[in-house]
Structures are given as structure tokens and as C-alpha cells.
Amino acid sequence: MGLPFKFDWKNPDYTQVYERRAEMRNRMRADKTGECLRKLKLYYTDNPVQFIIDWGTTFDPRYAMKRDIHGKRMPTKFPFIPFEKQEELLYWLLDRMHKSEDGLIEKSRDEGVSWLSIGLGATLCIFIKGFKVGYGSRKEEYVDKIGDPKSLFWKAREFVDNLPIEFRAGWVRDQHSPFMRMLFPETGSAMTGESGSNIGRGDRCAVYFVDEAAHLEHPESVDMSLA
């Protein structure tokens, strides 16, 4: 489905995106029967990529020095609208999960793979009961470090914290975000992290993302961080 209008990723104008999200949120909250929300949750359970397009938020500190097409300073937090290749990657990841297959992503930096893997994992935890997704990297600080946007779980907390409260599955930052974990009470799902030699030695997961896999396989090789 994507967006119902054309979006220019090179010169982004998020006005229509914000207006669309506000309209969807208002319509959902105006339905006192809860039927609209129930149908949306059913839809997003089968369409997690569309959920990211409809509600996801990402962060880039470099935007603080940029201006949009109207000359206004751009916010560092803005809607996460995956471009074509990013959207293809999300569907490819889902296909690997459904087929229980391994997958390798070779990429250049700043392609948003960390945000994509975090956004997808969080979305699946929000809508699927008993889902568990793991994240591992060679250094603990890359997995979780409070206040550091480079770490995966900083991204995860920001992604969920910027969703409408109806789509957080009961998650509250101060209550359900212990170190290297995020817990979703309404679904009983969880995101967990591991680092160094501990990767893969924790509880079983439905899917596991390994950052800097090349470093783990070949310690002397070039760093291939997803960040």
C-alpha cells in the first residue's frame, strides 16, 4: 500500500505525512466502540511494513543543520518513510523469517538498516503474542547504552515511545525497558540484546539480528557495522 501520495525522499516535505497521521489518529480515537482500533491491529499484524510507514519515527542529528523545501529548520525526529530499497529489505527480512532462513545484508553506511531491523522487530513484538527478537553485536555499547543514539536499544525505545499509545502494547519506558531488554505486557513479547561472546547463548528467539557479523566470523576483517 505505502503512502497514498508521492513522496520526495531527496527533498522531504513531511506536511502531508503529519496530516495523514493526525487524521488516522483522530478517526481511531473518535470511535468509542474500539472497533476501528481492533481492525487496525488485525491489519497491522499481517502488514507490519505498512505499520512502519503509517506510524514509524526515526532520528538523525544531522538534520539539525538542514532546512526543508520551505526554508524551515528540519526536526531531528521525523516520520520513518522507507524508500523503495528499504521497503524491499523489510519484505525480504519477513520472507527469511517465514521460511526460517538465514540472511546476510551487505551494505554501505547510512542506509538505515539498524532502524529497519529495530522498527520491524518492535512492530512484530507489538502485534504478535509471545514473539521474541534478539539483537547482538560485538560491543555492549552498540547494543544498549543509555543516551547514545548509536546503540540499537536507544533506537528501539525511541521508535516505540513515538508511537500512539494505542500501539505500544502496554509498554512504558520507565517500567518495561531494563538494560538490553524491552518488554511488551499486552503481548508477552520481548526484544533482548547480547554482546561479545554472549551472542546466541541466551534464550531462544523467533528471529535474531547480528550486527557486525563479519567481525564475529573474521575478527581481523573490516568493520561492517549496520549503524
Side-chain angles (χ1 to χ4, degrees):
M1 178 180 175
L3 291 173
F5 49 82
K6 187 176 180 180
F7 187 81
D8 185 352
W9 282 271
K10 292 184 178 180
N11 299 288
D13 180 2
Y14 294 103
T15 303
Q16 281 185 284
V17 178
Y18 286 124
E19 290 176 349
R20 178 173 179 267
R21 291 187 177 189
E23 181 183 355
M24 293 171 63
R25 184 172 56 248
N26 292 339
R27 186 166 64 247
M28 174 181 68
R29 292 176 177 174
D31 177 18
K32 302 306 180 182
T33 69
E35 185 66 10
C36 181
L37 178 59
R38 186 188 70 82
K39 289 182 177 179
L40 281 173
K41 286 183 176 181
L42 285 174
Y43 175 75
Y44 289 136
T45 299
D46 294 327
N47 297 276
V49 176
Q50 189 62 46
F51 178 77
I52 294 172
I53 294 170
D54 286 347
W55 302 106
T57 296
T58 187
F59 168 83
D60 191 333
R62 294 170 298 185
Y63 272 41
M65 301 304 296
K66 294 183 178 181
R67 295 183 181 275
D68 62 20
I69 61 174
H70 304 295
K72 296 181 180 180
R73 192 174 297 279
M74 297 184 68
T76 54
K77 290 182 183 180
F78 48 93
F80 192 3
I81 310 297
F83 53 78
E84 184 178 352
K85 285 298 181 181
Q86 289 179 324
E87 193 170 336
E88 287 179 10
L89 177 57
L90 288 170
Y91 283 112
W92 180 82
L93 289 171
L94 286 170
D95 193 47
R96 302 284 71 70
M97 295 179 199
H98 293 151
K99 294 179 179 178
S100 297
E101 295 178 351
D102 293 336
L104 173 66
I105 303 171
E106 295 186 72
K107 52 165 284 297
S108 59
R109 296 186 66 84
D110 293 326
E111 291 301 318
V113 175
S114 294
W115 277 102
L116 291 167
S117 61
I118 285 295
L120 183 60
T123 298
L124 295 174
C125 284
I126 288 168
F127 294 108
I128 299 177
K129 291 185 178 180
F131 191 85
K132 185 174 180 183
V133 54
Y135 295 88
S137 187
R138 65 186 179 89
K139 288 186 178 182
E140 184 178 277
E141 64 192 74
Y142 294 165
V143 183
D144 196 1
K145 185 177 181 181
I146 300 299
D148 188 350
K150 179 176 65 176
S151 71
L152 295 172
F153 275 77
W154 185 94
K155 294 177 173 69
R157 294 182 183 103
E158 286 297 304
F159 181 87
V160 179
D161 207 20
N162 283 282
L163 296 173
I165 193 170
E166 292 88 349
F167 295 130
R168 297 179 198 168
W171 178 86
V172 177
R173 182 186 285 263
D174 295 338
Q175 300 177 26
H176 306 115
S177 291
F179 184 61
M180 284 200 183
R181 282 186 294 164
M182 286 183 65
L183 312 174
F184 299 86
E186 290 180 6
T187 58
S189 298
M191 302 172 72
T192 62
E194 297 171 318
S195 63
S197 60
N198 291 322
I199 292 178
R201 295 186 178 183
D203 295 335
R204 293 181 178 179
C205 296
V207 60
Y208 202 102
F209 292 93
V210 180
D211 187 9
E212 300 190 3
H215 181 87
L216 296 175
E217 292 290 337
H218 309 286
E220 301 304 321
S221 67
V222 176
D223 183 353
M224 294 180 66
S225 172
L226 296 181

